[in-house]
Amino acid sequence: MKVHRNTIIIAILFLGAIFVSTFKLIESPSVWYDEGIYVQMAKNLADEGLVGMRLSPTEVVHISKFTVGYPFIYPLAGVFKIFGFSIFSARLLMAFYILSFLMAGYFIVKKLFDQNTAVLSLALLATFPPLYGNGKSVLGETLGLFLVLIFLLFFYIARTRIESRTLYVILAGLSVGFAVATKPFFLILIPAC
């Protein structure tokens, strides 16, 4: 059985991305101020069912006062419920989002152009250092970017397909809605649609 050259390149890129996104997961980068807030909010949700940040034994600030939303906090709280509370488990979720972002980027470019262009764009994304430097931090941008790419993929399929168009329009709307709910700066997508 002959293995195609692009398949080998994709496998190498994804193995490299898995290695880099999980290398020194706890130490690099160091924990940011915002990251600590989001991790604490997810811990509050997992432990006490509180959707917000506890400032004192009697005062809880609701999540709407922060720049991250439910699509980010709820999966993080789920990870804490399953794997326990730690920066390692939180950043492991972020590594999953990085790999999902790379996969979504590959599929949207493949759908728009061809496989060779998709492999080249995957190589560019997979070797982009800020994706791992900032992407491993427990912040909502990586999830938001993944959701934007999923929106673009569904939107393109809805525009080019006759059958199941309604389903893909709904999926595109849900993914852009989740992206906006994850981080408010993705509101810029709404006028673009």
Side-chain angles (χ1 to χ4, degrees), residues 25-26 31 35 38-40 42-43 46-47 76-77 79-94 136 138:
L25 202 57
I26 299 171
V31 178
E35 186 177 15
Y38 302 150
V39 166
Q40 187 61 44
K43 184 179 185 314
D47 291 346
L76 187 57
V79 165
F80 288 159
K81 277 272 197 201
I82 295 169
F83 299 110
F85 174 69
S86 70
I87 290 295
F88 178 78
S89 59
R91 287 194 172 177
L92 206 55
L93 177 66
M94 297 311 296
K136 285 196 287 187
V138 185

Side-chain angles (χ1 to χ4, degrees), residues 11 28 31 56 72 94 100 109 111 119 153 168:
S28 175
V31 178
S56 71
F72 181 70
M94 297 311 296
S100 300
V109 174
K111 199 71 144 160
V119 170
L153 182 64
Y168 288 106

Side-chain angles (χ1 to χ4, degrees), residues 140-151:
E141 284 81 358
T142 308
L143 173 61
L145 287 172
F146 164 68
L147 291 169
V148 167
L149 287 181
I150 292 297
F151 156 70

Side-chain angles (χ1 to χ4, degrees), residues 34 38 41 63-69 140-141 181-185:
D34 289 351
Y38 302 150
M41 284 195 311
I63 192 173
S64 63
K65 304 288 185 207
F66 297 94
T67 61
V68 74
E141 284 81 358
T182 298
K183 291 293 275 188
F185 67 75

Side-chain angles (χ1 to χ4, degrees), residues 9-149:
I9 294 171
I10 291 168
I12 290 169
L13 288 170
F14 270 105
L15 287 173
I18 290 169
F19 174 75
V20 175
S21 63
T22 57
F23 182 71
K24 292 190 176 185
L25 202 57
I26 299 171
E27 297 92 14
S28 175
S30 57
V31 178
W32 297 10
Y33 179 78
D34 289 351
E35 186 177 15
I37 290 173
Y38 302 150
V39 166
Q40 187 61 44
M41 284 195 311
K43 184 179 185 314
N44 290 341
L45 180 61
D47 291 346
E48 305 172 41
L50 295 173
V51 185
M53 178 73 176
R54 181 175 292 285
L55 298 179
S56 71
T58 58
E59 185 181 2
V60 176
V61 177
H62 193 264
I63 192 173
S64 63
K65 304 288 185 207
F66 297 94
T67 61
V68 74
Y70 299 109
F72 181 70
I73 296 296
Y74 274 78
L76 187 57
V79 165
F80 288 159
K81 277 272 197 201
I82 295 169
F83 299 110
F85 174 69
S86 70
I87 290 295
F88 178 78
S89 59
R91 287 194 172 177
L92 206 55
L93 177 66
M94 297 311 296
F96 172 76
Y97 287 153
I98 289 171
L99 296 173
S100 300
F101 171 72
L102 292 174
M103 202 176 316
Y106 170 78
F107 283 120
I108 185 70
V109 174
K110 184 178 177 185
K111 199 71 144 160
L112 288 172
F113 302 104
D114 60 9
Q115 185 170 15
N116 290 334
T117 308
V119 170
L120 179 62
S121 68
L122 176 63
L124 289 172
L125 280 176
T127 57
F128 187 60
L131 178 62
Y132 305 104
N134 295 335
K136 285 196 287 187
S137 296
V138 185
L139 304 170
E141 284 81 358
T142 308
L143 173 61
L145 287 172
F146 164 68
L147 291 169
V148 167
L149 287 181

